[in-house]
């Protein structure tokens, strides 16, 4: 009996130690579950049950119990660390801090969702039925079969292939359609980068300008340029670890103003001397973007008037933080077809059906390998310059997001390939997937 009591005591101590060690993480877990539930239900029109069974069914996150009523989501872990997210038209949903009171006073973006009668992808009309004799369609189908095979592991939601401005292949898993907005996660970084390319083309900021951050002007950080930030070479400290309480998880799930955390970091090296992937850098850039406009309303309108609605990505929605800054690191939503439009804009080097949005030189800039990135990174785009995908042309570049969201652009093949889902390497082999698709084309 004494032995049993001792074992129970030891077990209790171990449980208490585990709770003490992991208790702070509950804030992050319930915060993620709340925000993901709110946005996926509100923006993608998915059910609470579907989000629970799929999107929030991930290690640790599945410990949270998330619910949603009207435009508010709540989540907690075993009744602890309850977090709330609220949703509003035009800006999506935001995870609020415990001291939050009232409504978020943020301007609603003004949109122009005029529907073009042109066939997709340049308009909203039905895509053209096209057969290209050089395309090996049987091989292409096998590539799609790989993506959607073993669905409990590869967890693909959609694949769309554009070739010579035509839809060549399009497939969706159950629960996802061509009308379903998908969270791009870090593909949002590439959208943010594009806004700087548009500004530069319009005669605004130049990428070699020094970053206009007031708190840096009295120390060595004043030498950081926009180019350093776009290339993740600021030299500033940043911990991009999603499995712990880190810089990035504190920013996304605890901060009210996400443009500030990276700006407050100290330099580890001179600009350009190290490469360090940082979502904080992207949100700092979003704050710098906001500085370029006289009013908050103009900032809120700009991504839509200059890019998103201009190329017909009418499903796309960019979410903000509590301070009304676009979360340029992570929170852009769009249908698979609209993500493909974004890729096509880059395949056409900034020209959208006769209207130029940014310079051709901008494409060369974002696809130029950043030193110390091993040829994998340009300026908020990922690259294949050093053969990360060994069986794929090295001119491939892409917008990449968490859980395997991808927009691949292959200029040498005249291809745009979009894949969305809930898994990435090693569960989803992107080299095998790309090889299966690309090998069908000359």
């Amino acid at each position: 009996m004494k032995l049993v009591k001792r074992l129970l005591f030891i077990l209790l101590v171990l449980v208490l130690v585990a709770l003490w060690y992991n208790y702070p993480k509950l804030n992050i877990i319930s915060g993620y579950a709340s925000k993901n539930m709110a946005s996926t239900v509100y923006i993608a029109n998915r059910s609470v049950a579907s989000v629970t069974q799929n999107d929030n069914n991930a290690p640790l996150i599945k410990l949270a119990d998330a619910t949603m009523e009207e435009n508010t989501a709540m989540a907690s872990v075993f009744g602890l660390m309850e977090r709330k997210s609220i949703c509003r038209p035009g800006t999506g949903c935001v995870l609020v801090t415990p001291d939050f009171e009232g409504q978020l006073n943020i301007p609603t973006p003004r949109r122009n969702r005029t529907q073009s009668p042109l066939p997709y992808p340049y308009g909203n009309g039905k895509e053209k039925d096209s057969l290209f004799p050089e395309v090996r369609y049987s091989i292409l189908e096998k590539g799609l079969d790989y993506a959607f095979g073993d669905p409990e592991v590869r967890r693909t939601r959609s694949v769309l292939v554009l070739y010579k401005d035509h839809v060549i292949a399009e497939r969706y898993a159950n629960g996802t359609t061509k009308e379903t907005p998908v969270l791009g996660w870090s593909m949002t970084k590439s959208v943010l980068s594009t806004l700087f390319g548009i500004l530069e083309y319009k005669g605004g900021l130049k990428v070699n300008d020094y970053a206009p951050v007031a708190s840096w002007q009295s120390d060595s950080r004043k030498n950081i340029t926009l180019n350093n930030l776009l290339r993740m070479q600021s030299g500033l400290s940043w911990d991009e670890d999603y499995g712990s309480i880190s810089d990035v998880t504190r920013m996304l799930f605890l901060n009210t103003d996400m443009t500030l955390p990276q700006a407050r970091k100290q330099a580890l090296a001179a600009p350009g001397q190290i490469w360090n992937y940082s979502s904080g850098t992207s949100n700092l850039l979003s704050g710098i973007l906001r500085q370029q406009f006289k009013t908050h309303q103009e900032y809120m309108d700009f991504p839509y008037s200059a890019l998103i609605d201009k190329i017909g990505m009418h499903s796309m929605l960019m979410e903000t933080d509590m301070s009304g800054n676009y979360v340029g690191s992570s929170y852009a939503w769009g249908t698979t077809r609209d993500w493909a439009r974004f890729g096509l804009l880059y395949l056409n080097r900034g020209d959208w059906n006769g209207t130029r949005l940014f310079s051709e030189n901008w494409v060369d800039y974002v696809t130029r390998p950043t030193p110390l990135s091993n040829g994998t990174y340009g300026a908020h785009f990922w690259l294949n310059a050093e053969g990360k995908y060994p069986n794929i042309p090295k001119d491939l570049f892409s917008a990449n997001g968490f859980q395997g969201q991808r927009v691949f652009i292959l200029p040498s093949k005249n291809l745009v390939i979009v894949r969305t889902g809930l898994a990435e390497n090693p569960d989803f082999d992107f080299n095998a997937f790309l090889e299966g698709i690309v090998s069908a084309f000359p």
Side-chain angles (χ1 to χ4, degrees):
M1 190 59 139
K2 289 183 178 179
L3 178 60
V4 172
K5 288 182 177 179
R6 287 175 181 172
L7 289 174
L8 288 174
F9 177 75
I10 292 171
L11 180 61
L12 178 61
V13 170
L14 290 174
V15 170
L16 291 174
V17 169
L19 283 173
W20 176 84
Y21 179 76
N22 289 292
Y23 184 74
K25 292 183 181 179
L26 302 186
N27 208 348
I28 306 299
I29 294 170
S30 57
Y32 181 105
S34 171
K35 170 67 174 64
N36 209 36
M37 177 63 74
S39 294
T40 309
V41 171
Y42 185 76
I43 299 171
N45 198 30
R46 302 257 309 284
S47 70
V48 170
S50 174
V51 178
T52 301
Q53 294 167 9
N54 296 283
D55 305 71
N56 281 0
N57 186 20
L60 295 181
I61 305 304
K62 61 185 177 182
L63 297 175
D65 179 28
T67 61
M68 187 162 184
E69 293 185 10
E70 295 183 352
N71 295 333
T72 300
M74 306 294 295
S76 63
V77 183
F78 308 127
L80 304 172
M81 288 290 191
E82 187 173 61
R83 299 296 304 277
K84 178 169 75 171
S85 298
I86 63 174
C87 307
R88 54 190 294 258
T91 57
C93 307
V94 61
L95 179 68
V96 298
T97 53
D99 59 353
F100 169 78
E101 295 181 4
Q103 294 296 313
L104 294 172
N105 187 24
I106 297 170
T108 300
R110 293 173 294 201
R111 305 287 301 265
N112 179 3
R113 290 192 172 97
T114 301
Q115 302 289 301
S116 167
L118 293 174
Y120 176 83
Y122 290 113
N124 306 100
K126 180 177 173 53
E127 66 276 12
K128 294 179 180 179
D129 291 328
S130 304
L131 285 176
F132 292 89
E134 68 270 25
V135 177
R136 295 181 288 180
Y137 288 92
S138 60
I139 292 177
L140 180 59
E141 284 299 309
K142 290 180 181 178
L144 293 174
D145 290 342
Y146 170 83
F148 288 90
D150 204 353
E152 296 302 314
V153 175
R154 295 179 192 152
R155 306 187 74 185
T156 295
R157 283 182 159 161
S158 65
V159 172
L160 191 151
V161 181
L162 294 178
Y163 174 64
K164 295 183 177 179
D165 296 352
H166 292 257
V167 177
I168 297 298
E170 186 175 20
R171 189 184 295 184
Y172 297 89
N174 289 338
T176 302
T177 73
K178 64 181 65 175
E179 307 299 331
T180 305
V182 176
L183 176 57
W185 288 109
S186 286
M187 294 202 300
T188 311
K189 293 179 171 72
S190 301
V191 176
L192 176 71
S193 172
T194 304
L195 298 175
F196 279 83
I198 293 170
L199 271 183
E200 185 171 69
Y201 183 65
K202 290 175 176 289
L205 289 176
K206 305 296 183 185
V207 295
N208 289 321
D209 290 347
Y210 292 111
V213 180
S215 60
W216 292 356
Q217 302 314 304
S218 60
D219 58 52
S220 63
R221 295 176 296 176
K222 66 184 178 184
N223 296 316
I224 298 172
T225 65
L226 295 176
N227 175 61
N228 296 140
L229 296 175
L230 287 164
R231 294 188 174 280
M232 303 292 186
Q233 283 197 313
S234 68
L236 301 177
S237 65
W238 185 263
D239 182 13
E240 188 88 3
D241 180 3
Y242 288 87
S244 66
I245 300 176
S246 65
D247 291 332
V248 70
T249 54
R250 278 191 292 266
M251 176 186 70
L252 290 175
F253 305 114
L254 298 174
N255 284 120
T256 59
D257 185 337
M258 297 189 197
T259 70
L260 298 179
Q262 181 70 95
R264 291 170 173 166
K265 292 293 184 179
Q266 296 302 307
L268 299 177
Q273 289 191 349
I274 59 174
W275 182 81
N276 185 31
Y277 183 82
S278 163
S279 289
T281 292
S282 300
N283 288 328
L284 171 60
L285 282 165
S286 182
I288 291 172
L289 182 69
R290 182 172 173 177
Q291 293 176 36
Q292 309 313 305
F293 301 94
K294 294 179 180 179
T295 67
H296 196 178
Q297 183 69 62
E298 290 177 290
Y299 165 73
M300 297 298 290
D301 294 343
F302 179 70
Y304 297 102
S305 62
L307 171 64
I308 294 170
D309 288 334
K310 201 160 192 173
I311 68 170
M313 294 193 296
H314 299 316
S315 74
M316 184 164 281
L317 186 148
M318 295 181 67
E319 296 180 286
T320 68
D321 63 15
M322 287 184 64
S323 299
N325 304 297
Y326 285 119
V327 185
S329 66
S330 313
Y331 293 153
W333 293 75
T335 62
T336 302
R337 285 191 159 208
D338 279 354
W339 284 113
R341 282 185 167 108
F342 179 68
L344 185 61
L345 175 65
Y346 271 89
L347 184 66
N348 291 335
R349 298 181 62 81
D351 182 276
W352 186 256
N353 202 27
T355 299
R356 178 155 295 282
L357 274 67
F358 50 79
S359 169
E360 291 191 63
N361 295 334
W362 179 257
V363 184
D364 298 330
Y365 167 72
V366 300
T367 58
R368 188 170 69 246
T370 296
L372 306 176
S373 73
N374 295 320
T376 63
Y377 206 72
H380 273 47
F381 280 83
W382 292 88
L383 313 179
N384 195 41
E386 297 297 326
K388 177 182 178 180
Y389 306 111
N391 301 326
I392 305 303
K394 290 187 177 181
D395 67 341
L396 175 145
F397 62 105
S398 60
N400 292 10
F402 176 55
Q403 294 183 319
Q405 320 314 316
R406 298 289 189 274
V407 177
F408 294 105
I409 302 107
L410 291 91
S412 60
K413 296 288 187 177
N414 213 337
L415 281 172
V416 172
I417 304 169
V418 178
R419 183 268 181 182
T420 74
L422 291 171
E424 52 194 323
N425 290 327
D427 294 327
F428 189 94
D429 186 337
F430 275 102
N431 186 65
F433 164 68
L434 287 169
E435 184 176 18
I437 299 294
V438 174
S439 60
F441 296 86

